[in-house]
Amino acid sequence: MADVTVSQFAEVLRIPVDKLLAQLGQAGIQVSGPADKISDDAKMLLLTHLRTSHGGAGTESGPSRITLKRKSQQEIKLASTQGRARTVNVEVRAKRTYVKRDVLEEQARVQQEQLEGQRKESEDSARLAQEKAEAEQRERERIEQENRRRIEAEVEKKRAADEARRQAEQKAAEEAERARKAAAEPKREEAPARANHVAAKPGKESRAAEPADSATRYGRKELHIAGDVSARHKKKKKVRARTMPTDMEQKHAFEKPTAPMQREVALGETITVAELAQKMAVKATEVIKNLMKMGVMATINQHLDQDTAMLVVEEMGHVAKALKEDQIESGLQGEGAEHEAQPRPPVVTVMGHVDHGKTSLLDYIRTTKVAAGEAGGITQHIGAYQVTTPKGPITFLDTPGHAAFTAMRARGAKATDVVVLVVAADDGVMPQTVEAITHARAAGVPLVVAVNKIDKPEADPDRVRQELSKHDVIPEEWGGQNMFVNVSARNGTGVDKLLEAILLQAEVLELQAPQDGLASGVIVEATMEKGRGAVVTALVKKGTLRTGDNILAGSEYGRVRAMFNEEGKPVTVATPSMPVVVLGLSGTPNAGDELMAVEDERKAREVALYRQGKFRDVKLARTTTRAEDAFSQMGEEKASVVAVVLKTDVQGSAEALRDSLTKLSIDEVKVRVLSSGVGGITASDVQLAAASNAVLIGFNVRADASAREAMKDLGVDARYYSVIYEAIDDVKQMMSGLLAPEIKEQIVGVARVQDVFRSSKFGVVAGCLVTEGAVKRNNPIRVLRDNVVIFEGALESLKRFKDDAGEVRAGTECGIGVKNYQDVRVGDQIECYSRVEVVRTVQ
């Protein structure tokens, strides 16, 4: 076929030219318009493309599925009630799909193979289950058979022992009977013969009378008659000897006391009502009655604290004795010999106000950058580092300066030897500076003042010295005992002098600690990490902590699985004054708890469980409901509550954030922390927040996959924070939203009554002159007479001449009709005011 143009080819194919151009473009044939010619090769290429696009028709085997669409039209005439017929065109569309037989056979074969595989798997699983059940049945039968044989052997052994004992008793009884008869024979011979003889029967021996009268155990005389000889061979009945009770045994075992008994009751830290009643030998109801008299509502299983229990015991007339229940904790580290003390590095705590350069100063000493990595540029954890200087190692503790971290700073001061107080030369003494001085004095440690930021133009070190002298921190050059060093954390000015001052203080203190023996220290910080478990930062105070030691920290125990230094490098031993990260505890202890290595793991577990139970019982005992607290609790129920579920990265942050949020509570809105923990947000935290309608706060933690799914399902929104004051501010906003708005009244205008008119239609109408502001129709009013409020209500009408007015301004006359009040007089004042709602906020 010769080459034809696109338009001619479209006429042959009976399709529009635009459609043919589109198909040619899809097949990759470049044509510019309907006048271009198409070669035979291009036609074959177009045909192949069309076959491929319609179910793979370009292959030799043809398509595996063919779909046919058919369409037919017909007309339907509808008869009408008015005599006119309507014609409706109906189009019927049919669509049929034909599939190759071999494709269907292949699908059937695959399905059959799948069914065969599933059937085989089910048969194998059933066979394995049956074999397992048969093995278990055989094992049970074997165990039952062994138990049966053992029981039969025990029964046979017991039967043989009983038989031997019975034979021995029978033999002993026969021996005793023979001995008795032998002893009684002479007495019968000495007794006189009886007067009357009884004639013997034929074939039998005659019976002889026993003339002897033998005395019995009761003191009576009985006549003994010798019976038939055959009676001697009869089996004697065993008669048990009866012993008469003595005079002491005849008395009753219980004697009613003539006076109330006073008992000494030993009380631990907690005790239940039932145990207390048992120790006093009274009924539990009596104890509960006395508790109710004291205003304590308790049940029989209620835990009481030691003070309450002592009051109950003394109230019931007994003597209370407080016991020390810490004997279980004694001797944890054994009774080893005293080890020789050796010099140790000093532990230095850096304290001061927020943003005064504590961490930056420590960064320069460590030649690292930690402050830049902290959220908001402020320290929110206690950081422990050991720095090697030319004159020896020094351990630094970097504490947060924010007001919320008071407890952290207090713990840092207790675990330290020297406190470095950082004060900015351009800012002076601030609230946290004074608080740090108080903590250092309470801990009894020397204070070295580092006046930072002296490189700034506005720095004034003398002003810092003057302000600190008001708090009894006097420099040595002024005759005091505190060393002052001017430093700059930016360029390192005075840092060497500061280190020399710290080491000088350490030399004066002569710090020593034994390096041998079991280690003991303090928990600086604790957190829960995924894949590592409980991770604690500990500071060793004495002894040496080694990998594999059994350790006890607060109410948690475990074994040291691994230790790391501040750089993250693994270490095997930790000497005194060395901070290490320890893995292996069963849970996260509280920051500030004592850490000790123990000899016996069982002892550590026992003490940890005892401490957990004691903490739980004490907490339960302190939550006892008192009668006098009922009215206060009723008032609290009326107040709004912001419930919070808190999860943080470390224990110290949880403590600081929980205390800060609790302190935000006011009379109208309370903040209640339902739960606070360490680690990521879990599904249980989300469920708790959803059930209690609480706010879920994550501080430096995130939710895991299951928790995120639970959030979507339950509609709980978690709020994430990295800076503590941002979390506090958001909770303040939530509290402000729950505060009821304050209603304030604003005087809009004042009108003086000039004359009074009476109308049959409107009643009393006051002719007034507006003296201040404006009188508005819809605002409430007050009627004042001699500056005394005599009526409060609303306007019934406000007219300017004969027209109704919505507002009348000052200097204008008007007519006012007061609703439901007819005693308006000349000289009265009508005050128009408005009520405005003022939004309240929590400061």
Side-chain angles (χ1 to χ4, degrees), residues 659-672:
D659 295 342
S660 300
L661 294 179
T662 305
K663 290 178 182 178
L664 295 177
S665 298
I666 57 177
D667 293 338
E668 297 183 40
V669 183
K670 306 288 184 182
V671 178
R672 186 170 299 165

Side-chain angles (χ1 to χ4, degrees), residues 541-650:
K541 301 293 288 185
K542 66 176 182 179
T544 302
L545 185 65
R546 295 178 173 83
T547 304
D549 287 351
N550 299 313
I551 54 176
L552 175 69
S555 59
E556 306 296 338
Y557 68 95
R559 183 188 295 270
V560 179
R561 291 192 287 108
M563 289 190 299
F564 305 92
N565 59 10
E566 67 275 5
E567 297 178 357
K569 298 180 180 179
V571 294
T572 56
V573 294
T575 54
S577 300
M578 180 177 176
V580 288
V581 176
V582 181
L583 307 182
L585 281 174
S586 58
T588 54
N590 294 325
D593 287 345
E594 182 184 5
L595 172 73
M596 62 176 64
V598 297
E599 295 178 346
D600 189 5
E601 183 181 3
R602 183 184 59 81
K603 183 72 173 178
R605 185 188 303 108
E606 182 181 358
V607 173
L609 295 176
Y610 165 73
R611 289 177 178 176
Q612 293 174 5
K614 182 172 69 173
F615 173 76
R616 183 170 56 252
D617 293 344
V618 170
K619 183 178 179 181
L620 185 63
R622 288 177 179 174
T623 56
T624 304
T625 303
R626 297 182 177 271
E628 58 266 23
D629 296 338
F631 293 103
S632 63
Q633 291 178 1
M634 290 171 62
E636 288 182 1
E637 291 179 357
K638 295 181 181 179
S640 300
V641 176
V642 177
V644 176
V645 176
L646 180 63
K647 293 301 286 290
T648 63
D649 54 345
V650 294

Side-chain angles (χ1 to χ4, degrees), residues 169-189:
E169 291 177 355
Q170 183 177 1
K171 186 176 181 181
E174 292 176 355
E175 292 291 339
E177 183 66 20
R178 284 197 294 270
R180 188 183 64 78
K181 288 181 179 180
E185 189 67 26
K187 295 181 180 180
R188 286 198 296 269
E189 293 177 355

Side-chain angles (χ1 to χ4, degrees), residues 187 194 272 308 343 350 379 391 404 411 436 439 472 480 558 647 665 681 710 716 743 748 797 822:
K187 295 181 180 180
R194 294 182 60 174
T272 63
T308 305
V350 183
T379 301
K391 296 185 179 181
R411 285 195 300 269
H439 290 325
D472 295 334
K647 293 301 286 290
S665 298
I681 298 174
V716 177
I743 306 298
V748 179
S797 62
Q822 306 295 326

